[in-house]
Amino acid sequence: MACSTSIVSNTLLSLLLIFSSLASFTNAKTHYRGFIIQETKVKRLCKTHNSITVNGQYPGPTLEVHDGDTLVIKVVNRGKYNVTIHWHGVRQIRTAWADGPEFITQCPIRPGKSYTYRFTISGQVGTLWWHAHSSWLRATVYGALIIRPKQGDSYPYPKPNRDSVIMLGEWWDANPIDVINEARRTGGGPNVSDAYTINGQPGDLYKCSSKDTIKVPVKSGETHLLRVINAALNQPLFFRIAKHKFTVVGADASYVKPFTTSVLMLGPGQTTDVLIKGDQTPGRYYIAARAYASAPIAPFDNTTTTAILEYKAAKNTSSKPIMPTLPAFNDTKTVTAFTTKFRSLGKPDVPKRIDEHLHITVGLGINKCPPNFKASQCQAPNRTRFTASMNNVSFVLPSKFSLLQAHHHGLSSVFTTDFPAKPPKKFDYTGNISRSLWQPIPGTKVYKLKYGSNVEVVLQNTNVFTSENHPIHLHGYDFYVMAEGFGNFNPKTDTAKFNLVDPPQRNTVGLPPNGWAVIRFVADNPGTWIMHCHLDVHIGWGLAMVFLVENGVGHLEKLEQPPKDLPVC
């Protein structure tokens, strides 16, 4: 009888789980949106520019969904440049065709053409974002993607009274496409930006900007969730609010063990969810961001963008906001203290048995001036042209097919599968490096991974030309950051530093200057996935590589068929 009762109770439990799953699925929604890529007059810093925008908005529209929802977004290109849209951090399970990087998963959407992105959010909650993934259009084509818990689920922290998006950006008092095209012509570095922005506005410290400074309302005693996104093109940024502390609760759409800090640092591509409390004297407090500039010889925009945290009781006062003290531009010690505090909430399933070990060097370089080039075309130091590479391979985008199309159709002439799993030559990566090692080899090389393999990647920064913090972003995956450190990675001693219990899950990791970081992930998503530096000047120079993850066995382990409206080259 006891056995019979047990069987009945187990059956009931199974039925309840099925109904619960069905109810969750039933609550999922499909969101249909239209993105019109167009020129829009945008006035900043006293001048009006014809900027490329989405739906005439800068920044573009915020998308709000729940975990489990599906997005169907038709992008119509009415601008004058080719464009693609990348949904930064979205896993894109089996939907690599919707990932968006130009010539990696699709050919660009040509002017006058359109493409519909279709994908489902799966197991992600928090803040992500979307942006153009063609040339430097990302300077103005970007917006937030808010993912709330599934219907009926709640946050693992006290529900905030309100939440706000804080998008940090970068503004050129010029056409960004002209800026990068000029740099490509000269071979030198591009002009640095003229301002940073918060939600598209530079703030009080720039000319012609005060009246449009963003104001973030807060009430005394309430808890406010801030979704901070670094959408800047080329600059990691420090972020503070005068006299207020942050409780960090999420990053890159993954929950983290809450910790308190007075300063954030986000590399381009990263998001951080923080709680603040209205626990200060009612008044007006500056929200401020400025550069973390870790390369000692590289020029950078040294200005400061501001918004205002405004208590309701102080709304109609004209009192000058209190300004926070921001870290020094090169304060790597503060950055390290912040980034090493991140821990996953709970106990994640961290890959322990590793099938694929990769050791990838990351850094800048120079190309010798080609014989047929003029001096004006070789304006990097010593009459050279800047380049960048991973494992001495400077990544070259194809032009007639995307890598995913070439893989899907079995076109062997578009890429090779010989990206090296370790540096071709071993040397003191963070010391004084011989000039003979400064010039990489151009190539369109990928690294093949079997479906389901456990992958560990040692990312090693190098001191070629100069070393700096590189935000390394992997498409199609979240990964665990096992550890980070300075100097050359030493497998005999540094593996002891690995966090095998609760490493943070990210899609973009800041690679310390003259240091290293180790990441792990399970290759359970078929497709071609680019891993690149999210400083856009560096990806243009070739600081990228691609993982080609093969199909698995069952239907749910295979890439979907390409959409009928996939752009052609």
Side-chain angles (χ1 to χ4, degrees):
M1 187 70 183
C3 181
S4 166
T5 304
S6 173
I7 291 170
V8 170
S9 61
N10 284 339
T11 303
L12 286 171
L13 179 60
S14 297
L15 286 170
L16 284 170
L17 288 171
I18 291 169
F19 285 130
S20 173
S21 177
L22 285 172
S24 174
F25 181 78
T26 304
N27 286 332
K29 294 181 180 178
T30 299
H31 303 262
Y32 295 89
R33 299 293 295 269
F35 276 17
I36 307 296
I37 308 295
Q38 61 188 66
E39 281 194 12
T40 302
K41 292 189 181 302
V42 178
K43 186 175 182 180
R44 297 292 186 275
L45 309 181
C46 315
K47 286 172 62 177
T48 299
H49 294 275
N50 287 324
S51 299
I52 302 298
T53 67
V54 170
N55 299 349
Q57 298 173 236
Y58 167 66
T62 294
L63 303 175
E64 295 193 39
V65 300
H66 289 267
D67 180 19
D69 286 358
T70 295
L71 282 154
V72 179
I73 301 175
K74 184 175 182 178
V75 178
V76 179
N77 187 2
R78 293 182 184 162
K80 59 182 178 180
Y81 303 111
N82 295 338
V83 71
T84 65
I85 301 293
H86 169 51
W87 316 94
H88 185 109
V90 174
R91 283 290 316 273
Q92 298 289 1
I93 304 296
R94 301 178 57 237
T95 54
W97 303 108
D99 189 44
E102 186 177 59
F103 293 114
I104 302 297
T105 59
Q106 68 168 97
C107 296
I109 307 168
R110 306 288 181 183
K113 302 295 184 179
S114 67
Y115 177 48
T116 300
Y117 294 88
R118 298 172 177 85
F119 56 92
T120 298
I121 306 296
S122 180
Q124 295 179 286
V125 179
T127 306
L128 295 175
W129 62 302
W130 56 265
H131 60 80
H133 214 294
S134 303
S135 186
W136 272 25
L137 290 183
R138 182 165 77 80
T140 53
V141 178
Y142 62 84
L145 172 55
I146 296 172
I147 307 171
R148 303 194 187 280
K150 288 182 178 180
Q151 301 281 2
D153 289 354
S154 59
Y155 294 109
Y157 48 80
K159 186 178 180 181
N161 300 92
R162 67 176 83 194
D163 63 86
S164 298
V165 170
I166 302 289
M167 292 206 81
L168 309 177
E170 212 168 352
W171 177 263
W172 275 261
D173 202 10
N175 179 352
I177 302 298
D178 291 343
V179 173
I180 187 57
N181 284 345
E182 175 65 7
R184 289 189 183 119
R185 187 189 70 79
T186 66
N191 290 342
V192 300
S193 56
D194 296 287
Y196 300 112
T197 58
I198 294 176
N199 293 353
Q201 295 293 342
D204 286 356
L205 305 184
Y206 298 90
K207 59 186 180 180
C208 306
S209 301
S210 290
K211 69 180 179 65
D212 294 312
T213 297
I214 297 295
K215 293 180 176 62
V216 179
V218 65
K219 291 181 181 178
S220 292
E222 76 173 8
T223 300
H224 201 138
L225 174 64
L226 299 182
R227 303 173 180 274
V228 188
I229 303 166
N230 187 353
L233 219 64
N234 293 316
Q235 195 61 61
L237 295 166
F238 287 115
F239 180 84
R240 290 192 77 171
I241 301 178
K243 294 189 174 295
H244 290 73
K245 289 193 173 183
F246 307 113
T247 300
V248 178
V249 293
D252 293 357
S254 291
Y255 294 127
V256 301
K257 284 186 171 67
F259 66 90
T260 302
T261 179
S262 61
V263 62
L264 310 179
M265 195 292 289
L266 294 88
Q270 292 184 321
T271 72
T272 308
D273 292 349
V274 299
L275 299 174
I276 63 167
K277 289 188 175 180
D279 57 3
Q280 295 300 308
T281 303
R284 304 169 81 227
Y285 300 84
Y286 271 129
I287 302 168
R290 77 172 186 185
Y292 164 48
S294 54
I297 60 174
F300 66 96
D301 178 353
N302 64 2
T303 62
T304 302
T305 182
T306 57
I308 298 171
L309 184 72
E310 189 172 67
Y311 280 72
K312 186 178 181 182
K315 186 174 181 180
N316 296 318
T317 66
S318 58
S319 60
K320 187 174 177 60
I322 298 169
M323 177 65 79
T325 301
L326 287 156
F329 293 117
N330 63 350
D331 191 349
T332 295
K333 186 176 180 181
T334 290
V335 173
T336 304
F338 173 67
T339 57
T340 53
K341 285 181 181 176
F342 284 83
R343 300 284 186 274
S344 281
L345 190 65
K347 293 185 178 179
D349 188 14
V350 183
K352 303 292 198 306
R353 175 188 54 79
I354 302 302
D355 304 303
E356 296 276 1
H357 292 267
L358 288 92
H359 188 177
I360 299 179
T361 54
V362 171
L364 305 184
I366 53 173
N367 282 329
K368 294 176 183 177
C369 193
N372 58 330
F373 275 41
K374 302 173 184 176
S376 62
Q377 294 174 281
C378 297
Q379 292 188 19
N382 301 317
R383 198 170 175 264
T384 60
R385 293 175 61 86
F386 279 126
T387 185
S389 66
M390 288 184 165
N391 275 357
N392 206 46
V393 178
S394 186
F395 187 79
V396 178
L397 285 171
S399 59
K400 294 183 179 179
F401 294 93
S402 74
L403 293 182
L404 191 59
Q405 287 171 298
H407 167 57
H408 182 73
H409 295 294
L411 303 175
S412 59
S413 60
V414 178
F415 62 86
T416 59
T417 57
D418 56 346
F419 180 85
K422 59 183 180 180
K425 186 170 184 179
K426 192 174 180 179
F427 56 95
D428 181 3
Y429 308 116
T430 56
N432 292 321
I433 300 170
S434 166
R435 286 289 181 96
S436 65
L437 297 169
W438 284 31
Q439 180 152 334
I441 298 166
T444 308
K445 299 175 183 288
V446 307
Y447 190 89
K448 288 180 80 169
L449 293 171
K450 287 185 178 180
Y451 184 93
S453 57
N454 292 336
V455 185
E456 178 180 280
V457 183
V458 176
L459 294 163
Q460 175 67 62
N461 216 330
T462 64
N463 200 30
V464 175
F465 193 75
T466 186
S467 186
E468 63 184 295
N469 184 290
H470 294 282
I472 303 297
H473 173 49
L474 174 60
H475 288 227
Y477 289 90
D478 287 329
F479 50 75
Y480 294 106
V481 182
M482 308 304 295
E484 65 175 67
F486 293 94
N488 298 326
F489 177 78
N490 185 336
K492 293 181 180 178
T493 56
D494 289 330
T495 50
K497 301 172 186 175
F498 286 7
N499 178 0
L500 297 169
V501 178
D502 57 359
Q505 204 168 17
R506 306 297 301 255
N507 62 56
T508 306
V509 62
L511 185 56
N514 275 324
W516 53 267
V518 179
I519 64 172
R520 288 183 180 180
F521 64 96
V522 180
D524 57 1
N525 193 13
T528 53
W529 306 108
I530 188 169
M531 183 170 72
H532 65 89
C533 180
H534 220 277
L535 307 180
D536 272 30
V537 61
H538 290 177
I539 185 176
W541 287 341
L543 214 171
M545 61 82 65
V546 170
F547 287 110
L548 193 165
V549 180
E550 298 175 316
N551 282 328
V553 178
H555 172 71
L556 295 179
E557 295 181 357
K558 293 183 178 179
L559 178 69
E560 291 182 358
Q561 290 298 307
K564 291 181 180 179
D565 65 338
L566 188 73
V568 294
C569 289

